[in-house]
Amino acid sequence: QVQLVESGGGLVQAGGSLRLSCAASDRTVSTYTMAWFRQAPDKKREFVAAISRTGGNTDYADSVMGRFTISRDVALNTVILQMSSLKPEDTAVYYCGAGSGGLIWKSSARYDYWGPGTQVTVSS
């Protein structure tokens, strides 16, 4: 059973940075496509970034391109989302997901496992 736990969320001022971590169960990050999604109140869960199981491919939502970076540490079974130049519209609960199939998916329906999420709040 795949288990995911996010951490690192919090309150930050606009223009600041945060580093989110997703701790995964053994060998998850080298077996699954790993992704970050976010969900703001009264909005659908939206794609933020993803990294392939080999680590060779990444993809980002247009809204975060150039500001967020996804990476992974296979030895620690951890996926990192480094967020900089944060904006109030980045405020949301951020979720880590793991999906099978080998490709990077932007639809949350393609991800099989989810963590409980971590709140990110960006004040103006």
Side-chain angles (χ1 to χ4, degrees):
Q1 182 71 18
V2 173
Q3 294 184 328
L4 306 170
V5 179
E6 304 91 340
S7 62
L11 174 64
V12 64
Q13 288 189 331
S17 299
L18 278 177
R19 184 175 183 266
L20 304 184
S21 295
C22 172
S25 47
D26 191 32
R27 289 182 286 184
T28 296
V29 299
S30 58
T31 303
Y32 294 86
T33 295
M34 302 299 296
W36 288 94
F37 282 73
R38 66 187 181 188
Q39 188 167 13
D42 299 323
K43 292 190 176 181
K44 293 182 179 180
R45 190 170 295 192
E46 66 172 1
F47 173 79
V48 175
I51 186 166
S52 65
R53 61 181 180 179
T54 65
N57 293 298
T58 58
D59 201 1
Y60 297 90
D62 290 343
S63 58
V64 307
M65 187 79 70
R67 300 189 297 122
F68 291 11
T69 302
I70 189 170
S71 61
R72 63 177 197 158
D73 187 322
V74 174
L76 295 178
N77 288 299
T78 301
V79 179
I80 303 296
L81 185 68
Q82 180 66 48
M83 306 186 296
S84 60
S85 302
L86 283 162
K87 305 174 181 180
E89 50 264 43
D90 294 319
T91 295
V93 178
Y94 282 70
Y95 297 92
C96 176
S100 57
L103 299 178
I104 289 181
W105 311 106
K106 292 189 176 182
S107 168
S108 61
R110 301 306 296 259
Y111 290 83
D112 307 299
Y113 304 99
W114 295 96
T118 186
Q119 176 71 48
V120 171
T121 302
V122 184
S123 63
S124 57

